[in-house]
Amino acid sequence: MNYERYYVCDLLNGEGVRVTLFVTGCPHACPGCHNPSTWDRKAGRPFTDEVRERLLDLCATHDGLSLSGGDPLHPANREAVGELCRLFRARYPDKDIWLWTGYRHEEVAELDVLRFVDVLVDGRYRRELPTSKPWRGSDNQRLIRLRR
């Protein structure tokens, strides 16, 4: 898996102060996407064990971890994202994980990684459906609380 960037003090991608990782690789290519530079899964930098550990360490003083992209549930990202979520949950059982995906929940509900995710924002971005709902880019997207 590759990633484009991460934010170490994010107030926009979920509740509280968060560490947010933007992975690369997105099969949806939504017109008007805010992050088209993340579509190519080979773009960005390799997500190494060292990067993963740095992110996990940064989460110690934050409310949670947010995963965006690209699409964290792109087939090429699922294994590394799953491992990150598993390690986060083991280290921080009282903190939460938010994940944005262009897939509908019904399409990915059986993925093992979702057992670690607290909040899923699902659905492709549709610029013709603007919204004022928090944490969503378009009105079709759903905020689904999977845990707690």
Side-chain angles (χ1 to χ4, degrees), residues 32-51:
C33 173
H34 298 288
N35 296 316
S37 60
T38 64
W39 292 355
D40 180 355
R41 71 179 184 86
K42 294 181 181 178
R45 296 172 284 246
F47 187 74
T48 63
D49 292 348
E50 292 78 20
V51 173

Side-chain angles (χ1 to χ4, degrees), residues 1 3 10 15 24 29 33 44 48 60 66 68 81 94 105-106 110 123 135 137-138 146:
M1 178 175 85
Y3 74 101
D10 189 359
E15 295 170 335
T24 62
C33 173
T48 63
S66 293
S68 190
V81 167
D94 297 326
H105 180 243
E106 296 78 8
E110 299 303 317
W135 304 300
S138 57
L146 300 174

Side-chain angles (χ1 to χ4, degrees), residues 53-88:
E53 288 306 310
R54 169 127 172 86
L55 288 178
L56 290 169
D57 288 347
L58 288 166
C59 291
T61 57
H62 292 65
D63 296 305
L65 174 66
S66 293
L67 301 167
S68 190
D71 194 325
L73 298 183
H74 183 292
N77 296 336
R78 292 174 183 174
E79 183 177 340
V81 167
E83 180 67 0
L84 173 62
C85 290
R86 184 187 68 75
L87 291 170
F88 175 90

